[in-house]
Protein backbone atom coordinates (compact mmCIF):
# COMPACT_ATOMS: atom_id res chain seq x y z
CA UNK A 1 0.00 0.00 0.00
CA UNK A 2 0.95 3.61 -0.55
CA UNK A 3 0.08 6.64 1.54
CA UNK A 4 0.16 10.27 0.47
CA UNK A 5 0.33 12.68 3.39
CA UNK A 6 -0.22 16.38 2.78
CA UNK A 7 0.73 19.28 5.01
CA UNK A 8 0.95 23.05 4.84
CA UNK A 9 -2.63 24.18 4.41
CA UNK A 10 -4.19 26.94 6.46
CA UNK A 11 -5.76 30.37 6.53
CA UNK A 12 -4.06 33.28 4.76
CA UNK A 13 -5.04 36.74 3.63
CA UNK A 14 -5.37 37.60 -0.03
CA UNK A 15 -1.97 38.29 -1.51
CA UNK A 16 -0.25 35.96 0.91
CA UNK A 17 1.62 32.71 0.37
CA UNK A 18 1.44 29.10 1.45
CA UNK A 19 3.55 26.05 0.69
CA UNK A 20 1.97 22.63 0.51
CA UNK A 21 3.93 19.40 0.84
CA UNK A 22 2.96 15.84 0.02
CA UNK A 23 5.11 12.87 0.94
CA UNK A 24 4.50 9.42 -0.51
CA UNK A 25 5.40 6.40 1.59
CA UNK A 26 4.88 2.67 1.57
CA UNK A 27 5.57 0.18 -1.17
CA UNK A 28 7.09 2.41 -3.87
CA UNK A 29 9.14 1.23 -6.83
CA UNK A 30 8.61 4.32 -8.94
CA UNK A 31 6.31 7.32 -9.24
CA UNK A 32 5.25 8.71 -12.58
CA UNK A 33 2.89 11.66 -12.36
CA UNK A 34 2.69 13.53 -9.06
CA UNK A 35 0.67 16.65 -8.54
CA UNK A 36 -2.10 18.65 -6.94
CA UNK A 37 -5.83 18.97 -7.45
CA UNK A 38 -8.33 21.12 -5.60
CA UNK A 39 -12.04 21.10 -4.90
CA UNK A 40 -13.99 24.15 -3.83
CA UNK A 41 -17.45 23.84 -2.22
CA UNK A 42 -20.06 22.98 -4.81
CA UNK A 43 -17.49 22.55 -7.57
CA UNK A 44 -15.80 19.63 -9.26
CA UNK A 45 -12.27 18.63 -8.40
CA UNK A 46 -9.83 20.26 -10.80
CA UNK A 47 -6.18 19.91 -11.69
CA UNK A 48 -3.94 22.61 -10.23
CA UNK A 49 -0.46 21.46 -11.22
CA UNK A 50 1.33 18.23 -12.10
CA UNK A 51 4.77 16.94 -13.01
CA UNK A 52 4.72 13.80 -15.15
CA UNK A 53 7.91 11.78 -14.76
CA UNK A 54 10.80 14.18 -15.03
CA UNK A 55 8.95 16.33 -17.49
CA UNK A 56 7.99 19.95 -17.40
CA UNK A 57 5.33 21.07 -14.94
CA UNK A 58 1.81 21.69 -16.16
CA UNK A 59 -0.48 24.26 -14.56
CA UNK A 60 -4.10 25.25 -14.65
CA UNK A 61 -4.46 28.60 -16.40
CA UNK A 62 -5.91 30.11 -13.23
CA UNK A 63 -2.68 29.57 -11.27
CA UNK A 64 0.01 30.16 -13.90
CA UNK A 65 2.54 32.72 -12.75
CA UNK A 66 1.42 32.41 -9.11
CA UNK A 67 1.93 28.74 -8.19
CA UNK A 68 5.06 26.63 -8.58
CA UNK A 69 5.17 22.85 -8.35
CA UNK A 70 8.38 20.97 -7.63
CA UNK A 71 9.41 17.43 -6.79
CA UNK A 72 12.09 15.87 -4.63
CA UNK A 73 12.57 12.51 -6.33
CA UNK A 74 14.78 11.12 -3.57
CA UNK A 75 12.15 11.87 -0.92
CA UNK A 76 9.10 10.97 -3.06
CA UNK A 77 7.72 14.38 -2.20
CA UNK A 78 5.92 17.03 -4.19
CA UNK A 79 5.55 20.67 -3.20
CA UNK A 80 3.23 23.45 -4.24
CA UNK A 81 4.39 26.99 -3.58
CA UNK A 82 1.38 29.28 -3.77
CA UNK A 83 1.95 33.01 -4.02
CA UNK A 84 -0.38 35.96 -4.57
CA UNK A 85 -3.26 33.90 -3.24
CA UNK A 86 -6.79 34.95 -4.08
CA UNK A 87 -10.08 34.17 -2.32
CA UNK A 88 -11.03 32.02 -5.32
CA UNK A 89 -8.09 29.74 -4.48
CA UNK A 90 -9.99 28.62 -1.38
CA UNK A 91 -10.48 24.87 -1.61
CA UNK A 92 -9.41 21.52 -0.29
CA UNK A 93 -6.14 20.64 -2.00
CA UNK A 94 -5.44 17.00 -2.75
CA UNK A 95 -2.17 15.34 -3.60
CA UNK A 96 -2.30 12.75 -6.37
CA UNK A 97 0.28 10.29 -7.62
CA UNK A 98 0.66 7.36 -10.00
CA UNK A 99 2.75 4.80 -8.14
CA UNK A 100 4.28 1.53 -9.18
CA UNK A 101 4.89 -0.83 -6.24
CA UNK A 102 7.19 -3.15 -8.14
CA UNK A 103 8.54 -3.66 -11.66
CA UNK A 104 5.93 -6.28 -12.54
CA UNK A 105 2.74 -4.30 -11.96
CA UNK A 106 1.13 -1.26 -13.51
CA UNK A 107 0.91 2.16 -11.98
CA UNK A 108 -1.91 2.69 -9.47
CA UNK A 109 -3.42 6.10 -8.80
CA UNK A 110 -3.51 7.33 -5.19
CA UNK A 111 -5.02 10.34 -3.43
CA UNK A 112 -4.07 12.09 -0.25
CA UNK A 113 -6.62 12.98 2.41
CA UNK A 114 -6.68 16.65 1.44
CA UNK A 115 -5.63 19.84 3.17
CA UNK A 116 -7.79 22.95 3.50
CA UNK A 117 -6.57 26.24 2.06
CA UNK A 118 -8.65 29.29 2.93
CA UNK A 119 -7.87 32.72 1.52
CA UNK A 120 -9.66 35.64 3.14
CA UNK A 121 -10.37 38.88 1.32
Amino acid sequence: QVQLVESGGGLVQAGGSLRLSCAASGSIFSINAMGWYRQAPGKQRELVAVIIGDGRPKYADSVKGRFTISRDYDKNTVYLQMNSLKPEDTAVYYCNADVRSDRYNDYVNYWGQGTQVTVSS
Side-chain angles (χ1 to χ4, degrees):
Q1 258 306 352
V2 173
Q3 297 81 39
L4 302 179
V5 179
E6 301 117 332
S7 61
L11 173 64
V12 65
Q13 288 187 333
S17 299
L18 284 174
R19 188 186 191 220
L20 306 182
S21 300
C22 171
S25 63
S27 181
I28 299 172
F29 176 73
S30 66
I31 299 176
N32 188 17
M34 199 168 188
W36 295 92
Y37 288 71
R38 68 186 181 186
Q39 188 167 18
K43 295 188 176 181
Q44 289 189 331
R45 192 172 297 188
E46 63 176 1
L47 173 69
V48 177
V50 66
I51 298 177
I52 300 175
D54 58 356
R56 293 175 62 183
K58 296 182 179 180
Y59 297 95
D61 288 342
S62 59
V63 306
K64 283 181 180 177
R66 301 188 297 122
F67 291 10
T68 302
I69 188 171
S70 59
R71 283 176 68 172
D72 184 326
Y73 291 86
D74 290 336
K75 296 182 179 179
N76 291 326
T77 299
V78 64
Y79 305 95
L80 186 67
Q81 177 66 44
M82 304 184 294
N83 298 329
S84 302
L85 282 160
K86 304 175 181 180
E88 51 263 44
D89 294 317
T90 296
V92 178
Y93 284 69
Y94 295 92
C95 180
N96 181 268
D98 290 330
V99 181
R100 206 174 180 184
S101 296
D102 58 60
R103 66 183 65 198
Y104 305 109
N105 292 300
D106 291 333
Y107 287 96
V108 176
N109 188 257
Y110 292 91
W111 291 94
Q113 80 284 359
T115 184
Q116 177 70 46
V117 171
T118 302
V119 184
S120 62
S121 57

